[in-house]
Amino acid sequence: MIQFLIQTFIKNHEKTEDRAVRTAYGNLACIVSVVCNLLLAGGKIAVGVLTGSVAVTADGMNNLSDASSNIVSLLGFKLGARPADSEHPYGHARYEYLAGLAVSVMILVIGVELLKESFAKVLHPTAVDFNWVMVAVLAASILVKLWMARLNHKIGTDIESETLLATAADARNDVITTAAVLAATVLTKLSGFTRLDGLMGLGVAAFILYSGASLVRDTINPLLGAAPDPELVEHIEKKAMSYPGVLGVHDLMIHDYGPGSRLVSFHLEMDSKDDVMHSHDVIDRIERDLLVQDGLIATIHFDPVVTGDPHADELKAFLQQEIRKLEPLANIHDLRIVPGPTHTNVIFDCAVPAEYMTDKQHRGVRLVSALRNSVQEKWPDHFCVIKLEPDYAPIHHE
């Protein structure tokens, strides 16, 4: 019933890029998750204490940590929805990332405590009182967690929330954990091996620690300025290239200030012979469409390109062919030819993956040298002036 209401709500409110609507979805998913996790945690911890099962208690504590995570996520959605101000002109959406980091640390702390308790139970095992209530609680937990995974994945996909998608993945992981605890409970009853409960508790604790460490990595990455999603990079490039008169896109940079708050800048190549006002109008349209259709705040630099010069076209085609052979992840742009009385300067930029700029193999330097030699072998009087620069939005350029 709850899922039907949520799906109906989403269907009737299509504009998920709207901050208020997006926050409402996130709040709703978090509140439902908090209630479910608290009920599951209370049931499991009560059964675990009554039966003396550290594995069931550990699983209950895992649900309790999930409820705490949902509360922190709820706070993240609330703080992240605050409007921009003079001190934070790009908004407060990164609070969602900070909330995710806090959740990850909480999960690690709980995992360490459960690891110590389970280790003690292995060294000093005690009998577990088996009963069918325990089995029923664990089986019900598996069904509820499957539903929660589906619910959070649905809303997380609709509002493009990494926080909710992570919650969905965590719920799926909980299904595996609880199923393992249920299996250990039954096997302990059948085999009489009392240490199995503590061993399973160790397994649950290790799984929690692994999940927490993975979440720490995933939440720190955007805060550190991780490379943008290649699909987003490709989408922006294809969208820009679809407008009349656009010849190329380069120097694309994407700054992530939190979900729904991304700034984009890039250089747009257009024919230098085109009317300047017309080119400016095309750029304005691209910036406006990126904002309205994709929620991206774009700043575009106009690069006039000389077209119709047979030698320039030949040089560009040759360089593109050479760079595909030498390094497919690199690309060239801003090609200019400056003829002189004794030699011709071929000036262009070469963008490479960021690590090529400083690695010990000097891949960037060697690439520049190889390009310069290739041009001089074909045109001995041509001298390349190449500016090596990092590609901040790497993607395979055809």
Side-chain angles (χ1 to χ4, degrees):
M1 181 63 179
I2 295 176
Q3 186 165 354
F4 172 76
L5 292 174
I6 292 174
Q7 289 176 342
T8 303
F9 181 70
I10 291 175
K11 186 177 180 181
N12 294 332
H13 298 78
E14 296 295 338
K15 289 190 176 182
T16 54
E17 69 273 9
D18 182 272
R19 172 63 63 180
V21 175
R22 187 179 185 280
T23 301
Y25 291 163
N27 289 345
L28 184 60
C30 289
I31 291 171
V32 171
S33 296
V34 168
V35 172
C36 290
N37 277 315
L38 286 176
L39 291 174
L40 292 176
K44 290 179 184 177
I45 292 173
V47 170
V49 171
L50 291 174
T51 60
S53 172
V54 69
V56 175
T57 302
D59 200 27
M61 292 298 292
N62 184 32
N63 292 141
L64 189 60
S65 74
D66 289 341
S68 302
S69 303
N70 299 141
I71 292 173
V72 174
S73 298
L74 187 64
L75 182 62
F77 275 110
K78 181 176 178 60
L79 294 176
R82 293 166 59 184
D85 53 39
S86 58
E87 294 183 351
H88 306 90
Y90 301 114
H92 299 79
R94 277 185 177 172
Y95 268 118
E96 284 193 39
Y97 297 150
L98 293 175
L101 182 59
V103 167
S104 306
V105 173
M106 291 168 58
I107 291 174
L108 288 175
V109 171
I110 291 175
V112 170
E113 292 301 317
L114 292 177
L115 188 68
K116 292 191 294 185
E117 183 179 347
S118 299
F119 187 69
K121 187 68 178 288
V122 172
L123 295 178
H124 309 286
T126 56
V128 176
D129 296 327
F130 177 86
N131 62 67
W132 290 106
V133 174
M134 179 193 300
V135 175
V137 168
L138 294 176
S141 173
I142 292 173
L143 296 176
V144 172
K145 280 292 183 176
L146 282 172
W147 175 79
M148 288 174 62
R150 182 179 178 185
L151 175 69
N152 281 283
H153 188 270
K154 168 64 178 172
I155 299 179
T157 300
D158 286 341
I159 69 174
E160 297 183 354
S161 170
E162 292 297 332
T163 300
L164 293 184
L165 291 176
T167 302
D170 186 48
R172 288 195 299 269
N173 292 341
D174 288 345
V175 171
I176 298 173
T177 301
T178 304
V181 172
L182 179 57
T185 301
V186 175
L187 289 174
T188 300
K189 171 65 176 177
L190 296 176
S191 66
F193 183 51
T194 56
R195 277 193 171 87
L196 185 59
D197 181 65
L199 292 172
M200 188 55 67
L202 287 175
V204 172
F207 190 79
I208 292 173
L209 288 171
Y210 174 78
S211 299
S214 299
L215 287 172
V216 167
R217 180 195 61 207
D218 293 340
T219 52
I220 283 181
N221 270 341
L223 292 172
L224 293 178
D229 183 355
E231 291 184 2
L232 176 61
V233 174
E234 186 175 8
H235 169 74
I236 294 172
E237 291 190 347
K238 285 185 176 179
K239 189 181 188 77
M241 291 294 294
S242 69
Y243 288 77
V246 176
L247 302 177
V249 175
H250 61 266
D251 284 347
L252 173 61
M253 300 176 70
I254 302 175
H255 302 279
D256 187 349
Y257 288 92
S261 182
R262 288 175 295 193
L263 275 66
V264 175
S265 65
F266 55 89
H267 290 207
L268 199 70
E269 297 176 356
M270 303 185 76
D271 196 329
S272 60
K273 295 188 293 292
D274 286 351
D275 180 72
V276 174
M277 297 303 293
H278 171 73
S279 298
H280 186 270
D281 181 67
V282 171
I283 290 174
D284 279 348
R285 284 167 52 201
I286 297 174
E287 290 177 339
R288 182 175 61 252
D289 290 348
L290 284 170
L291 178 61
V292 174
Q293 298 171 9
D294 301 289
L296 300 171
I297 303 172
T299 302
I300 302 175
H301 173 78
F302 170 44
D303 268 354
V305 176
V306 176
T307 60
D309 183 336
H311 186 47
D313 292 342
E314 181 186 14
L315 258 172
K316 185 174 182 180
F318 175 78
L319 286 168
Q320 288 175 336
Q321 179 182 354
E322 287 298 304
I323 207 163
R324 276 197 295 268
K325 292 190 299 184
L326 295 168
E327 180 48 72
L329 294 177
N331 67 91
I332 63 168
H333 56 83
D334 284 340
L335 175 67
R336 290 181 292 136
I337 300 176
V338 183
T342 59
H343 68 278
T344 296
N345 283 335
V346 181
I347 306 169
F348 60 91
D349 295 345
C350 179
V352 295
E355 62 269 20
Y356 283 28
M357 302 291 292
T358 56
D359 67 356
K360 294 180 179 180
Q361 289 76 32
H362 305 291
R363 283 176 288 182
V365 175
R366 288 192 285 111
L367 175 60
V368 167
S369 178
L371 287 173
R372 184 178 290 117
N373 291 336
S374 296
V375 170
Q376 286 196 316
E377 285 179 9
K378 189 172 181 64
W379 295 281
D381 63 335
H382 283 37
F383 179 77
C384 289
V385 180
I386 306 173
K387 176 187 175 184
L388 190 67
E389 62 181 21
D391 192 345
Y392 293 103
I395 188 172
H396 182 79
H397 291 77
E398 296 294 340

